[in-house]
C-alpha cells in the first residue's frame, strides 16, 4: 500500500513539474508594454529641420581670384579669406603680392567688385582701437563694414543700437600689414551713427569701443576694378 502511494506521489510531482516547465517556456507578460504610435503619426521628438546649407563657395572664390589677377591685385600664396556668403553672393579679403589689402565681392561668379588699399588706415575716433578698411558701404547681399582692430584686442561683441549684429573674424594680416585682425560686420538698412564693439585685451579685461558706420563715414578705398 505504501508502495502504491509513493508511486502515485511521484507521478503527481512529475505531472506538476511538466506543467510548470511548459508555462515557463511560453510568452512572458510585460509589466510595461511599449507604446504604439498610430500609423502616419511622427514621434513628438522628431522635428523637420529645413536645409541651411549654402552653395559651394569654391566657384565664387575661383572667379574672384581670376578677376583679381587680371586687375593686378594678385593674391599671395595665403589665398583669399571668406568674409561673408549669402546664397550665390560672397565677399573675400586677401593680401596682394604688391603689399596691398583687397576686399572683393562676387555674385553668381559673374559680377565682381574689387577695392584695394595699403591696409594701414588709422582709427577715426580718438582713443579708439578700430579702423574701417572698407565701407561702410552696400554690397551685393547687404550693407557692411570691414574693420581692423589693433594687435592684442579681440572682438567679443558688435552691437547697433543695443542689438547684436552678425560679425566674423576674417583674417589676421601679415606682420608687414601690422598683423591686425580684420572683421566683417553685416549692417542693418538705413544705418547711421556708430556700432558698439567690445574688445578683450591681452590682460583679459573687456574694453568698450565704437566705430562710425554712417554711410560715407569710413575709409572706403577706390576700386581698382569693377565688372557688372
Amino acid at each position: 500500500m505504501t508502495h502504491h502511494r509513493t508511486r502515485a506521489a511521484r507521478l503527481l510531482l512529475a505531472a506538476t513539474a511538466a506543467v510548470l516547465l511548459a508555462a515557463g517556456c511560453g510568452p512572458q507578460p510585460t509589466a510595461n508594454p511599449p507604446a504604439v504610435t498610430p500609423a502616419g503619426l511622427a514621434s513628438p521628438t522628431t522635428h523637420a529641420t529645413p536645409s541651411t546649407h549654402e552653395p559651394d563657395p569654391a566657384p565664387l572664390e575661383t572667379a574672384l581670384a581670376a578677376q583679381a589677377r587680371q586687375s593686378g591685385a594678385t593674391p599671395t600664396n595665403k589665398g583669399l579669406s571668406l568674409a561673408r556668403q549669402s546664397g550665390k553672393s560672397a565677399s573675400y579679403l586677401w593680401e596682394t603680392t604688391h603689399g596691398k589689402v583687397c576686399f572683393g565681392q562676387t555674385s553668381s561668379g559673374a559680377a565682381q567688385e574689387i577695392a584695394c588699399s595699403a591696409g594701414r588706415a588709422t582709427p577715426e575716433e580718438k582713443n579708439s582701437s578700430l579702423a574701417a578698411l572698407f565701407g561702410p558701404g552696400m554690397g551685393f547681399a547687404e550693407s557692411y563694414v570691414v574693420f581692423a582692430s589693433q594687435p592684442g584686442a579681440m572682438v567679443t561683441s558688435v552691437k547697433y543700437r543695443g542689438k547684436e549684429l552678425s560679425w566674423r573674424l576674417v583674417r589676421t594680416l601679415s606682420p608687414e600689414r601690422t598683423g591686425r585682425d580684420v572683421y566683417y560686420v553685416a549692417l542693418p538698412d538705413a544705418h547711421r551713427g556708430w556700432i558698439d564693439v567690445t574688445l578683450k585685451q591681452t590682460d583679459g579685461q573687456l574694453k568698450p569701443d565704437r566705430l562710425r558706420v554712417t554711410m560715407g563715414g569710413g575709409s572706403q578705398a577706390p576700386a581698382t576694378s569693377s565688372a557688372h
Side-chain angles (χ1 to χ4, degrees), residues 115 132-137 144 218-223:
L133 295 181
F134 303 100
Y144 70 91
S219 55
Q220 176 68 54

Side-chain angles (χ1 to χ4, degrees), residues 92-178:
Y92 291 87
L93 186 92
W94 68 95
E95 297 175 64
T96 76
T97 54
H98 297 294
K100 301 289 186 179
V101 177
C102 296
F103 177 72
Q105 304 177 79
T106 181
S107 180
S108 300
Q112 296 86 25
E113 288 186 352
I114 298 174
C116 294
S117 71
R120 298 182 181 276
T122 56
E124 291 186 348
E125 304 299 323
K126 185 178 180 180
N127 299 322
S128 175
S129 299
L130 310 176
L133 295 181
F134 303 100
M138 183 65 194
F140 289 125
E142 62 201 357
S143 295
Y144 70 91
V145 64
V146 178
F147 69 86
S149 65
Q150 294 299 324
M154 181 178 66
V155 172
T156 62
S157 174
V158 182
K159 294 182 178 181
Y160 176 73
R161 296 183 177 178
K163 184 178 180 180
E164 187 76 22
L165 298 178
S166 174
W167 58 275
R168 177 187 181 120
L169 170 61
V170 180
R171 186 185 185 112
T172 299
L173 299 178
S174 63
E176 292 79 7
R177 305 278 76 76
T178 69

Side-chain angles (χ1 to χ4, degrees), residues 12-227:
L12 179 60
L13 288 173
T16 302
V19 171
L20 292 175
L21 182 60
C25 294
Q28 298 299 308
T30 302
N32 297 305
V36 177
T37 301
L41 296 182
S43 166
T45 60
T46 301
H47 301 280
T49 304
S51 175
T52 58
H53 294 295
E54 294 279 10
D56 182 7
L60 302 176
E61 180 179 350
T62 300
L64 189 58
Q67 180 71 17
R69 288 190 292 270
Q70 293 174 9
S71 65
T74 303
T76 65
N77 57 8
K78 291 185 178 180
L80 282 63
S81 298
L82 181 65
R84 170 71 160 149
Q85 181 180 3
S86 178
K88 294 182 179 181
S89 298
S91 304
Y92 291 87
L93 186 92
W94 68 95
E95 297 175 64
T96 76
T97 54
H98 297 294
K100 301 289 186 179
V101 177
C102 296
F103 177 72
Q105 304 177 79
T106 181
S107 180
S108 300
Q112 296 86 25
E113 288 186 352
I114 298 174
C116 294
S117 71
R120 298 182 181 276
T122 56
E124 291 186 348
E125 304 299 323
K126 185 178 180 180
N127 299 322
S128 175
S129 299
L130 310 176
L133 295 181
F134 303 100
M138 183 65 194
F140 289 125
E142 62 201 357
S143 295
Y144 70 91
V145 64
V146 178
F147 69 86
S149 65
Q150 294 299 324
M154 181 178 66
V155 172
T156 62
S157 174
V158 182
K159 294 182 178 181
Y160 176 73
R161 296 183 177 178
K163 184 178 180 180
E164 187 76 22
L165 298 178
S166 174
W167 58 275
R168 177 187 181 120
L169 170 61
V170 180
R171 186 185 185 112
T172 299
L173 299 178
S174 63
E176 292 79 7
R177 305 278 76 76
T178 69
R180 293 179 295 177
D181 289 336
V182 179
Y183 296 84
Y184 176 97
V185 178
L187 299 174
D189 294 336
H191 54 82
R192 291 188 62 84
W194 292 264
I195 54 173
D196 295 306
V197 181
T198 301
L199 299 169
K200 186 176 183 180
Q201 307 295 308
T202 53
D203 60 2
Q205 297 295 315
L206 297 180
K207 173 191 173 184
D209 207 331
R210 57 178 8 196
L211 181 71
R212 186 188 301 273
V213 295
T214 298
M215 190 68 74
S219 55
Q220 176 68 54
T224 58
S225 67
S226 177

